[in-house]
Amino acid sequence: MRLDREITQEVMADRLAMTQATYSRKERGVIDITEEEWSKITEILGVNKEDVFEDNIRKNIISHNLNKQFLVLPASLLEKIDFLTRENQELKEKLRKYEDKDI
């Protein structure tokens, strides 16, 4: 979502009052993101919290750490997850447009 909005890690880090390196580790799931940081991130990205948490769930599935060993998913499954994530986002945006029209 950050990349879709053409926001750099440096800008995100600055707005969250942290270094770019720290933000990068949080974005990759190496360091947990606090509840307060989630709120700020959704505000910066202009999205609903559910949209960001959905991406976070996907990230956790991909890089899930079990006893310090990373679970590796087949590339075809990762591609399918990416496709479904994009499709879901598009459908949510369409739904919001319909809701805004008060149909």
Side-chain angles (χ1 to χ4, degrees):
M1 290 183 162
R2 175 183 61 77
L3 294 175
D4 290 342
R5 287 158 176 75
E6 298 180 358
I7 299 173
T8 65
Q9 284 189 345
E10 290 83 6
V11 168
M12 290 294 287
D14 184 56
R15 290 187 175 176
L16 294 167
M18 63 181 69
T19 67
Q20 180 274 328
T22 298
Y23 177 79
S24 176
R25 286 192 291 274
K26 288 180 180 270
E27 187 174 80
R28 290 180 287 130
V30 176
I31 301 172
D32 288 337
I33 299 173
T34 68
E35 187 68 30
E36 182 180 339
E37 290 167 341
W38 277 122
S39 295
K40 288 181 184 177
I41 289 169
T42 60
E43 183 181 318
I44 294 165
L45 296 176
V47 297
N48 293 321
K49 199 171 192 176
E50 297 80 25
D51 296 335
V52 177
F53 277 125
E54 186 174 284
D55 283 350
N56 190 50
I57 291 167
R58 178 188 168 278
K59 180 174 61 176
N60 286 339
I61 291 170
I62 294 170
S63 63
H64 187 66
N65 185 334
L66 297 173
N67 297 324
K68 302 290 181 187
Q69 294 184 2
F70 288 95
L71 173 67
V72 178
L73 298 177
S76 61
L77 182 57
L78 294 174
E79 290 171 7
K80 185 66 173 178
I81 291 170
D82 284 337
F83 170 78
L84 292 171
T85 301
R86 285 191 306 274
E87 183 179 49
N88 191 27
Q89 185 62 33
E90 290 170 8
L91 291 171
K92 284 180 179 181
E93 289 173 10
K94 287 180 182 179
L95 180 60
R96 282 191 199 112
K97 288 179 184 177
Y98 285 118
E99 289 173 342
D100 290 343
K101 291 181 182 180
D102 291 329
I103 292 179

